[in-house]
Amino acid sequence: MKKWLFGICALVFSTSAFAVDVDPALPEYKAGAPVSGTIKSVGSDTMNNMMTLWSEGFLKFYPNVKIEIEGKGSSTAVPALIEGTSNFGPMSRAAKPSENDKFEAKFGYKPIQLSTSIDMLAVYVNKDNPLKGLTLAQADAIFSSTRKRGLDELRTWGQLGLTGAWANSPISLYGRNSASGTYGYFKEVVLDDGDYKDAVKEQPGSSAVVQGVTSDRFGIGYSGIGYKTAGVRAVPLAIEDGEAFAEAVPENAYSGDYPLARPLLLTVNYKPGSQLDPLRREFIKYIFSKQGQEDVVKDGYFPVSADVAVEMLKQVGIEVSATAAK
């Protein structure tokens, strides 16, 4: 899915190091029949701001709708859908087989996960840190106790080639807690499903990781690109030693050259062949409209193309032809 999603987007977007354009073929959202009720979102902290922006945009069309957003981590999304305490589950990772199995045991079908946007998980250092780049093996050797990628443990900045006051300074580690999809994604992709060091200072939210690295000159941490601030630098990354480092910029996300690009997902309880209730139907249509994808850009993430939007809508029984969208 990842290569398919990024490949489509790479064909239709004009990007620069600083901005990305929303696909002009995306349809303008127009209000349908009046809807009411409560949108309750439980899940990823990474998507908290984006869910808020989507909700604010949606309320302009439907001011009587109530919105509740709770971002405590991707692991809370599927259980809330199972319990019926939410109607949307934002997640920064794919649902685990165990989560799908528990959902299917109750409802008889698996949840649907819609690719709403693209994130780059960034490895951040303090703005004053001169580190030029990291391979995934080096990142593993910094954060992992098991070091499945084969390198010896990296404890000081001097072991990464930094000199002067940096040489003997210990690397200070920041990360997310285990409820976070970002925690799980970094563990799977960077640590090769290894274990984190006990020295990683686990933070309750994505912004807290960035704040920690901002205030700690010798700090390093991982968080979504949408949380980047002037106090940190996103380190260019390479999969293998000897490869060119890829910067955390939009064109490298769409091309797949940046190794930690990932789709951000909205998990939905949808029975195949059924029709969504009007509230969820209209909210999902808003997300995949021009306005909804402009909200994605506003939050610092990267939008999907009109073709991807049409495909996502089809997954929940909303038929919109590509030619109609264009």
Side-chain angles (χ1 to χ4, degrees):
M1 180 187 71
K2 189 173 182 178
K3 288 183 178 178
W4 169 77
L5 178 63
F6 296 166
I8 291 288
C9 289
L11 294 175
V12 298
F13 287 98
S14 169
T15 62
S16 70
F18 305 102
V20 59
D21 298 327
V22 169
D23 188 345
L26 285 163
E28 289 271 354
Y29 182 79
K30 297 179 181 178
V35 297
S36 60
T38 300
I39 290 174
K40 180 64 183 291
S41 168
V42 176
S44 170
D45 166 80
T46 298
M47 295 178 67
N48 233 26
N49 292 339
M50 196 147 56
M51 289 297 301
T52 299
L53 288 171
W54 284 332
S55 298
E56 290 172 350
F58 190 70
L59 285 173
K60 293 177 182 177
F61 295 94
Y62 305 103
N64 293 326
V65 172
K66 296 180 180 179
I67 309 285
E68 298 177 23
I69 299 171
E70 183 178 306
K72 293 186 177 179
S74 295
S75 66
T76 64
V78 175
L81 289 172
I82 292 173
E83 294 163 10
T85 56
S86 74
N87 44 23
F88 291 106
M91 297 180 70
S92 59
R93 60 164 173 80
K96 297 176 181 177
S98 59
E99 292 171 327
N100 282 330
D101 290 346
K102 288 178 182 178
F103 188 97
E104 188 172 17
K106 179 166 184 178
F107 297 107
Y109 51 89
K110 290 180 171 60
I112 295 294
Q113 290 197 291
L114 305 174
S115 297
T116 66
S117 49
I118 298 172
D119 178 27
M120 289 187 293
L121 188 61
V123 176
Y124 290 114
V125 295
N126 186 274
K127 65 179 176 60
D128 297 325
N129 191 314
L131 184 67
K132 293 182 178 180
L134 286 173
T135 65
L136 295 191
Q138 287 175 320
D140 176 54
I142 291 169
F143 283 94
S144 177
S145 62
T146 47
R147 300 187 303 282
K148 288 190 173 184
R149 291 185 177 273
L151 293 187
D152 293 334
E153 182 181 9
L154 295 173
R155 296 182 180 180
T156 68
W157 289 107
Q159 289 175 293
L160 288 164
L162 273 61
T163 59
W166 296 90
N168 296 318
S169 298
I171 301 171
S172 180
L173 307 175
Y174 294 83
R176 292 298 313 279
N177 55 29
S178 59
S180 163
T182 299
Y183 172 105
Y185 179 85
F186 195 83
K187 175 182 171 71
E188 176 186 353
V189 177
V190 178
L191 309 190
D192 200 17
D193 279 324
D195 297 324
Y196 285 97
K197 290 179 179 177
D198 291 338
V200 178
K201 293 177 273 294
E202 295 187 354
Q203 306 298 309
S206 300
S207 60
V209 173
V210 174
Q211 290 167 6
V213 177
T214 299
S215 62
D216 186 344
R217 189 165 185 253
F218 302 109
I220 188 171
Y222 58 89
S223 187
I225 196 65
Y227 288 88
K228 184 181 179 182
T229 68
V232 295
R233 288 179 50 239
V235 180
L237 300 177
I239 296 177
E240 302 286 348
D241 188 30
E243 291 183 359
F245 293 120
E247 293 186 19
V249 294
E251 54 263 44
N252 290 336
Y254 288 126
S255 69
D257 291 335
Y258 186 76
L260 299 185
R262 60 178 178 170
L264 295 178
L265 307 165
L266 190 68
T267 313
V268 182
N269 182 345
Y270 171 73
K271 183 179 180 179
S274 69
Q275 186 171 359
L276 286 170
D277 59 90
L279 178 58
R280 288 190 300 160
R281 175 186 173 89
E282 292 304 317
F283 189 68
I284 291 172
K285 284 174 65 178
Y286 176 84
I287 288 172
F288 291 104
S289 71
K290 179 181 177 182
Q291 295 98 315
Q293 291 301 299
E294 286 174 343
D295 291 336
V296 168
V297 175
K298 188 183 299 183
D299 197 27
Y301 298 107
F302 310 130
V304 298
S305 69
D307 289 330
V308 171
V310 168
E311 187 61 31
M312 294 302 105
L313 291 170
K314 284 181 180 179
Q315 289 193 30
V316 289
I318 302 174
E319 292 292 334
V320 180
S321 69
T323 53
K326 296 176 182 179

